[in-house]
Amino acid sequence: MSQVQLNQSDFEPLQVDHSDAEKIAGESTSYWKDGWRRFRKNKLAIFGVFIIIILGILSFIGGPISGQNYYQNDLMNANQSPSAEHWFGTDNLGRDVFARTWYGAKISLFIGLMAAFIDLVIGVIWGAIAGFFGGKVDEYMMRIADILYGVPYLLVVILLMVILPQGLWTLIIAMTITGWINMARIVRGQVMQLRSEEYVMASRSLGASNTRLMFKHLVPNTLGPILVTLTLTIPNAIFTEAFLSYLGLGVPAPLASWGTMSSDALPALQYYPFQLFFPAFFICLTMLAFNVIGDGMRDALDPKVRK
Amino acid sequence: MSKILEVNDLSVSFDTYGGDVKAVRGVTFELNEKETLAIVGESGSGKSVTAQSLMRLIPMPPGKFVNGSIIFKGQDLTEKSEKQMEAIRGKEISMIFQDPMTSLNPTMTIGKQISESLIKHQNMSKKDAHERGIELLKLVGIPTPEKRINQYPHEYSGGMRQRAMIAIALACNPKILIADEPTTALDVTIQAQIMDLMKELQEKTGTAILLITHDLGVVANAAHRVAVMYGGKIVETGDVDEIFYNPQHPYTWGLLGSMPKLDNRDEELQAIPGSPPDLADPPKGCPFVTRCPFAMKVCENRMPEYTDVSNTQKAACWLLDERAPKVEIPESARVGGTKVHG
Amino acid sequence: MAKYLLKRIGYIIVSLFFIITITFFLMQAAPGGPFASERKLPPEIEAQMNEAYGLNDPIHVQYFDYLVRAITLDFGPSFKYVGQEVTDIIARSFPYSLILGAEAILLALSFGVLLGVIAALKHNKFGDYAAMVIAVLGISVPSFIMATILQYIFAIKLQALPVARFESFAHTILPAVALATTPLAFIARLMRSSMLEVLNADYIKTARSKGLSSRVVTYKHGLRNAILPVVSYLGPLVVSILTGSFIIEKIFGIPGLGNEFVVSVTNRDYTVIMGTTVFFSVLLLVSILIVDLIYGLVDPRIKVTDKGAEK
């Protein structure tokens, strides 16, 4: 052995405190904190959040700052190209496209948010009840959901739009009548999985009531997947609304959404492509933004994806 | 006995977001023909990385060879191209993995998975490979192999899958079989069967086995020699009897102490407190210093060199220095006779 | 196998029964619908309707009549076009939709899988980013906007392809591409994550340890397993192509079933709406059954028998 200069004192026992040896290395972070940290690192998702915030603000102040309104017909100035006066040009009735775009944003975003919200409420309640009680209750509730799920979503929406009187709320109702099923399935799956876990057993053995258990323990723990689904429901609703507009089943005038604006611009596409460009661009941008936010949230919050 | 594999001062690192993780830090050992060498250590000790490095199965990047050589048949495997390695894998050196549930392709019949290497390395026809596959399944003790060969992995039980894995690994009569925790995922009763099978097959075929495990109980019956790994280094190596009856390194004592013994029913199992060192920032001195009950000041700053205990046994511990206080092997680590250090 | 098939077909029949029942009663509730009393119809159609549906019979008799007719795929006369049977309309228009749909499915599958595999193999490199940018854009641009963009660029500006109608293969290119965009992007993402997962699987390491070349490992061992989620996406894919066809056929003026459905919706041609809805449902339920059978063939762990899965 090579004898480097070592003193006898080097061979004295080392005073090590072994008591903290079992301490877990690294700061333990909460689920949400950790999720937020991951999400923040995802540049694309942050970009999506900014886009949505900007679109949201513009939907309120866009009309006023241009000094135009969305409903004023001006047939003398119809189909104008973008100019200093009409930033996005005018449509076939001479209405200012810029003002209409932000008015449309309000309607489109409202439809998206509202549909997502209703899906959330029905889906969470349905899924949580089915998943929590299990057994027969679960079987019947999910059988109903399965039958509704078997029919293509858009087909159902179209059929409902044919029967119901046209209107903004009709549209939202039609979209949510089967839209909640997806949410219900996800919540149920999560609840089923979680309710067998130990902390639920522990609370139950301590005498917690069912309702308390369901909302205090289970729902917060299923929040991650719910949030992701919610975020992806919004672009889907905006898409559906635009789709229906193309079929002439969108929101009726004088309401205007990006969908109806695009659809109205179609006949004159060859001559005034910009009339289609603006609403179509914002549909795509919004869907893009919500999609990247949804992806970012899934990566940040889904325990299966986290590694 | 002649050396078949020589690993010299091998260092392997992984480039991660948290920095360079030095998983293997200068490991040296050799494997002789027809022998079983066990590499023992807890998870994170670098034993699996060492095993997979021999086959060059570490994804590179992020993994990389920092230093050292792996000499097989006079050639350094660390310098081989991927194409050249393909000719060695499965033919000269093959490997079985920990979890037989996930290490077989679920969408391919067992027969096809055996035939593949036969067709590749021995230029067999499909038909011959199929026949040989049946023989191999019979060899590893799978009943009605003619029927079983056309089944998919999910139709096999866990133990049978590991047998099938062994059949795949032995298909081309390799010189070396690397078994990476081959019994960890199996039931205790099945574990013994698989170890017996490997021993029996080794006697038949003369394959050298490198057994990677964290379970000293498995080692006692199966291995000829043992290398104990900790913190990316081999801390002690010796014949199996030396390691069990005359262990020198406190970590080996810890491992032996944490092993259940039949004769001592009242005695509690001794766990080794603490957790392995962070290899992204490895300690300057002995990696075991934070968990070692006999740690001295010198241990913190200087990695001990190997001290030869016998012709076959050596350990890297400052306790073996003549200036160190004499420490007896703790009662819990005693499998056989007592011996005093120094 | 036979028992499984029978069971599945049983489920299909039950689902269809529900769908037919629901559409029947929805149409009953429709204002100015075929069963409403204050209809304003040309007398010829009024007479035909009466003959076909027995409109003066009580509701339950009408319902059972409709059910019996629906089973034989007889949906009565069109509500708007004198002398046209709904069945004839379907038979005439469906082939167009079938060709277009098949092209789009082929396109979405082949390019989606290709893009996903490239992305996975070039993980975190340029190829991955490029493929995923295409995929995210594909998901964000709705098919009808894609259709208009394609139409504007390739037909109107470049005049390289026909604007509309369905007369030759060239006519089908733009609509098929538009129809395939979203599912293509979806498949690409699905394929990428599945391929990444599979490439990290233990059996890939086993395959490499056998000395197989990386090409064989990737394609023979990796792809076969990675493609399973895509196979299970085939059902939703058919749905997506089918509902997408409503709008794409309208934009490109293709006389397919999707377009007929849209026209019937705008015209409130209730019998055609009901007929096509039931037809679409049959189509979907059958294709989902076929997809499940294919899945059983591709994944040996899923046994399409009543033997009960070993697990």
Side-chain angles (χ1 to χ4, degrees):
Chain A
M1 192 192 285
S2 69
Q3 299 286 338
V4 215
Q5 295 86 3
L6 289 173
N7 307 322
Q8 195 57 47
S9 68
D10 282 327
F11 289 90
E12 278 166 19
L14 184 67
Q15 298 304 317
V16 193
D17 183 11
H18 283 283
S19 65
D20 63 346
E22 293 292 323
K23 261 200 190 151
I24 296 154
E27 199 185 332
S28 86
T29 46
S30 78
Y31 177 71
W32 296 109
K33 233 171 148 182
D34 194 37
W36 169 237
R37 189 179 55 77
R38 285 157 187 280
F39 186 80
R40 225 173 21 192
K41 271 203 221 150
N42 188 333
K43 290 195 190 78
L44 211 54
I46 293 293
F47 164 78
V49 172
F50 271 109
I51 296 284
I52 297 302
I53 291 175
I54 291 170
L55 288 180
I57 294 173
L58 279 173
S59 74
F60 284 99
I61 65 162
I65 58 168
S66 69
Q68 302 283 343
N69 64 45
Y70 74 92
Y71 50 83
Q72 183 77 56
N73 290 9
D74 181 5
L75 290 172
M76 300 296 285
N77 286 316
N79 294 324
Q80 283 192 355
S81 295
S83 64
E85 196 186 347
H86 299 286
W87 296 346
F88 287 179
T90 58
D91 71 0
N92 60 343
L93 295 175
R95 295 173 296 194
D96 182 66
V97 174
F98 186 82
R100 285 180 73 71
T101 299
W102 301 118
Y103 177 72
K106 219 183 288 180
I107 301 286
S108 287
L109 288 173
F110 177 76
I111 291 172
L113 291 171
M114 209 59 215
F117 176 73
I118 296 175
D119 281 0
L120 174 79
V121 173
I122 306 177
V124 167
I125 295 176
W126 193 277
I129 293 176
F132 193 81
F133 290 103
K136 275 269 179 294
V137 177
D138 174 47
E139 203 184 312
Y140 288 128
M141 288 180 83
M142 290 329 279
R143 191 58 55 82
I144 293 172
D146 280 345
I147 288 172
L148 287 172
Y149 197 69
V151 194
Y153 175 70
L154 274 170
L155 204 60
V156 176
V157 177
I158 291 172
L159 286 181
L160 285 169
M161 292 303 288
V162 170
I163 293 153
L164 302 170
Q166 278 201 346
L168 181 61
W169 282 101
T170 313
L171 196 70
I172 292 172
I173 290 168
M175 282 199 266
T176 46
I177 212 151
T178 59
W180 57 271
I181 294 170
N182 204 17
M183 182 69 84
R185 292 176 142 210
I186 284 164
V187 174
R188 172 186 170 268
Q190 290 285 322
V191 172
M192 285 286 245
Q193 190 194 333
L194 282 169
R195 81 184 184 123
S196 57
E197 278 177 23
E198 278 165 14
Y199 65 91
V200 176
M201 300 274 192
S203 314
R204 184 173 273 177
S205 67
L206 291 173
S209 75
N210 278 353
T211 3
R212 193 188 144 75
L213 265 181
M214 196 141 69
F215 289 99
K216 193 89 189 174
H217 287 281
L218 294 174
V219 173
N221 276 291
T222 55
L223 218 52
I226 289 174
L227 264 179
V228 175
T229 315
L230 198 62
T231 323
L232 295 175
T233 307
I234 299 171
N236 199 25
I238 292 174
F239 164 84
T240 308
E241 185 275 327
F243 188 100
L244 292 173
S245 301
Y246 264 59
L247 299 185
L249 296 171
V251 290
L255 295 175
S257 69
W258 286 335
T260 52
M261 286 175 70
S262 313
S263 170
D264 290 346
L266 273 185
L269 174 68
Q270 200 166 347
Y271 312 105
Y272 314 114
F274 65 89
Q275 286 180 6
L276 175 74
F277 172 80
F278 292 109
F281 173 77
F282 286 111
I283 292 176
C284 297
L285 190 67
T286 311
M287 287 185 61
L288 177 77
F290 277 112
N291 276 320
V292 295
I293 295 173
D295 286 351
M297 292 220 294
R298 179 166 29 219
D299 291 345
L301 296 176
D302 189 345
K304 270 179 285 178
V305 186
R306 299 160 79 191
K307 268 187 186 155
Chain B
M1 278 200 284
S2 59
K3 279 181 205 167
I4 185 164
L5 182 80
E6 229 185 302
V7 177
N8 298 312
D9 201 24
L10 182 71
S11 294
V12 183
S13 290
F14 289 90
D15 191 15
T16 68
Y17 290 113
D20 243 11
V21 174
K22 296 154 193 84
V24 176
R25 306 187 291 147
V27 160
T28 300
F29 65 88
E30 76 261 338
L31 182 65
N32 296 316
E33 269 178 11
K34 295 180 185 172
E35 118 178 304
T36 299
L37 169 68
I39 298 185
V40 187
E42 61 197 283
S43 32
S45 62
K47 57 189 195 303
S48 274
V49 174
T50 307
Q52 294 187 15
S53 301
L54 303 184
M55 290 277 269
R56 293 268 305 275
L57 285 178
I58 303 272
M60 296 194 180
K64 59 173 185 273
F65 285 124
V66 179
N67 194 17
S69 59
I70 302 166
I71 310 292
F72 173 74
K73 285 191 165 174
Q75 292 171 316
D76 186 354
L77 296 187
T78 62
E79 283 167 3
K80 295 253 176 203
S81 72
E82 189 61 22
K83 263 255 117 30
Q84 288 169 318
M85 277 313 293
E86 278 168 19
I88 291 173
R89 290 187 196 130
K91 186 176 182 218
E92 307 274 8
I93 309 178
S94 54
M95 190 155 180
I96 53 181
F97 298 92
Q98 177 171 350
D99 191 351
M101 296 297 177
T102 56
S103 48
L104 288 165
N105 186 339
T107 57
M108 205 182 259
T109 61
I110 298 287
K112 275 229 178 78
Q113 297 190 51
I114 300 178
S115 313
E116 269 186 329
S117 47
L118 291 168
I119 293 167
K120 160 116 191 177
H121 296 302
Q122 305 196 332
N123 292 320
M124 279 194 187
S125 69
K126 267 192 179 165
K127 198 172 156 288
D128 291 346
H130 186 81
E131 290 302 312
R132 174 87 177 118
I134 295 176
E135 274 173 39
L136 281 162
L137 286 185
K138 199 181 278 168
L139 189 72
V140 296
I142 287 181
T144 59
E146 303 80 8
K147 196 176 130 235
R148 287 291 190 173
I149 194 159
N150 292 320
Q151 287 184 334
Y152 289 92
H154 72 274
E155 295 167 278
Y156 278 47
S157 69
M160 272 166 60
R161 283 186 218 188
Q162 199 60 301
R163 285 171 190 268
M165 267 305 291
I166 294 174
I168 291 173
L170 293 180
C172 302
N173 292 318
K175 299 276 178 304
I176 301 173
L177 174 67
I178 302 172
D180 190 356
E181 306 255 8
T183 58
T184 308
L186 301 174
D187 288 348
V188 184
T189 46
I190 312 287
Q191 285 185 6
Q193 289 176 18
I194 294 292
M195 288 317 298
D196 287 345
L197 174 69
M198 287 186 22
K199 213 169 164 184
E200 181 193 322
L201 290 174
Q202 184 178 38
E203 275 156 25
K204 272 189 205 161
T205 59
T207 305
I209 296 179
L210 186 67
L211 177 67
I212 312 292
T213 181
H214 66 273
D215 184 357
L216 270 176
V218 167
V219 172
N221 295 316
H224 303 108
R225 288 193 306 124
V226 181
V228 179
M229 259 190 104
Y230 187 80
K233 288 177 174 289
I234 291 181
V235 294
E236 181 167 10
T237 170
D239 284 347
V240 67
D241 286 348
E242 293 170 325
I243 296 295
F244 274 85
Y245 296 106
N246 188 25
Q248 299 297 316
H249 198 283
Y251 179 62
T252 315
W253 299 342
L255 279 182
L256 287 164
S258 60
M259 194 174 74
K261 287 168 213 78
L262 277 180
D263 45 349
N264 270 344
R265 278 182 211 187
D266 321 327
E267 201 184 330
E268 273 184 56
L269 289 181
Q270 299 290 312
I272 310 174
S275 47
D278 176 13
L279 291 177
D281 181 22
K284 211 161 51 167
C286 173
F288 193 54
V289 64
T290 54
R291 298 167 75 186
C292 181
F294 312 104
M296 298 171 293
K297 282 179 181 160
V298 64
C299 302
E300 237 183 354
N301 300 316
R302 235 177 249 286
M303 180 63 204
E305 310 253 331
Y306 288 107
T307 306
D308 287 325
V309 180
S310 73
N311 280 341
T312 46
Q313 186 183 12
K314 58 185 177 179
C317 180
W318 281 115
L319 287 179
L320 295 172
D321 191 284
E322 60 246 19
R323 287 161 295 186
K326 293 186 181 4
V327 173
E328 276 189 31
I329 301 175
E331 191 60 41
S332 63
R334 240 176 255 166
V335 180
T338 321
K339 209 173 177 185
V340 181
H341 263 287
Chain C
M1 183 74 190
K3 201 170 160 194
Y4 173 83
L5 260 181
L6 274 179
K7 204 168 128 193
R8 287 299 303 266
I9 291 171
Y11 275 129
I12 290 181
I13 290 170
V14 172
S15 303
L16 268 180
F17 168 75
F18 274 107
I19 291 166
I20 293 171
T21 307
I22 291 167
T23 43
F24 178 84
F25 286 104
L26 278 180
M27 292 305 135
Q28 285 279 348
F35 308 104
S37 48
E38 72 290 359
R39 303 178 307 275
K40 289 186 221 88
L41 288 176
E44 310 93 295
I45 291 185
E46 180 78 57
Q48 263 189 330
M49 288 293 291
N50 232 329
E51 189 205 333
Y53 289 104
L55 293 180
N56 299 322
D57 293 338
I59 279 193
H60 65 272
V61 178
Q62 289 184 26
Y63 170 63
F64 281 111
D65 269 3
Y66 187 77
L67 215 55
V68 172
R69 288 162 162 278
I71 290 167
T72 53
L73 284 178
D74 172 10
F75 302 104
S78 160
F79 204 57
K80 279 274 144 75
Y81 301 106
V82 182
Q84 294 213 30
E85 289 283 316
V86 175
T87 316
D88 292 338
I89 295 177
I90 294 174
R92 184 185 60 208
S93 57
F94 182 57
Y96 295 107
S97 302
L98 189 65
I99 294 172
L100 192 62
E103 273 181 37
I105 287 176
L106 214 66
L107 202 64
L109 273 181
S110 48
F111 280 89
V113 169
L114 187 73
L115 218 56
V117 170
I118 290 174
L121 293 182
K122 305 275 175 214
H123 187 39
N124 284 339
K125 290 192 198 125
F126 177 74
D128 188 10
Y129 296 130
M132 283 309 107
V133 166
I134 295 174
V136 171
L137 287 180
I139 286 174
S140 305
V141 180
S143 59
F144 43 89
I145 290 178
M146 192 67 188
T148 359
I149 296 172
L150 290 173
Q151 215 175 26
Y152 186 72
I153 296 175
F154 292 98
I156 297 177
K157 286 285 152 193
L158 300 177
Q159 307 215 319
L161 289 163
V163 181
R165 304 168 78 86
F166 195 102
E167 277 144 18
S168 68
F169 175 70
H171 285 83
T172 66
I173 295 176
L174 293 182
V177 171
L179 205 47
T181 309
T182 308
L184 189 155
F186 202 87
I187 290 172
R189 284 159 56 113
L190 201 62
M191 193 65 207
R192 172 178 178 268
S193 59
S194 152
M195 191 76 185
L196 281 178
E197 197 183 317
V198 164
L199 288 179
N200 275 323
D202 287 350
Y203 55 81
I204 292 297
K205 213 171 246 178
T206 307
R208 293 213 320 143
S209 80
K210 284 194 267 191
L212 302 176
S213 68
S214 60
R215 203 174 43 84
V216 174
V217 172
T218 310
Y219 295 104
K220 218 167 140 204
H221 288 263
L223 202 57
R224 168 89 191 256
N225 286 288
I227 210 150
L228 292 176
V230 175
V231 175
S232 50
Y233 176 68
L234 285 177
L237 173 66
V238 174
V239 175
S240 162
I241 297 286
L242 190 137
T243 46
S245 74
F246 300 166
I247 232 168
I248 299 296
E249 288 182 357
K250 182 182 179 228
I251 291 174
F252 287 96
I254 293 165
L257 190 53
N259 199 15
E260 289 294 348
F261 179 68
V262 172
V263 170
S264 70
V265 165
T266 348
N267 288 341
R268 302 293 193 266
D269 191 344
Y270 293 100
T271 45
V272 178
I273 296 178
M274 286 165 80
T276 37
T277 304
V278 173
F279 183 78
F280 281 144
S281 308
V282 174
L283 199 68
L284 279 175
L285 291 166
V286 170
S287 35
I288 288 168
L289 174 64
I290 293 172
V291 167
D292 285 354
L293 292 177
I294 293 175
Y295 200 89
L297 289 179
V298 188
D299 188 347
R301 284 166 296 185
I302 312 280
K303 274 271 176 288
V304 190
T305 56
D306 34 59
K307 223 168 60 181
E310 288 179 56
K311 264 254 155 169

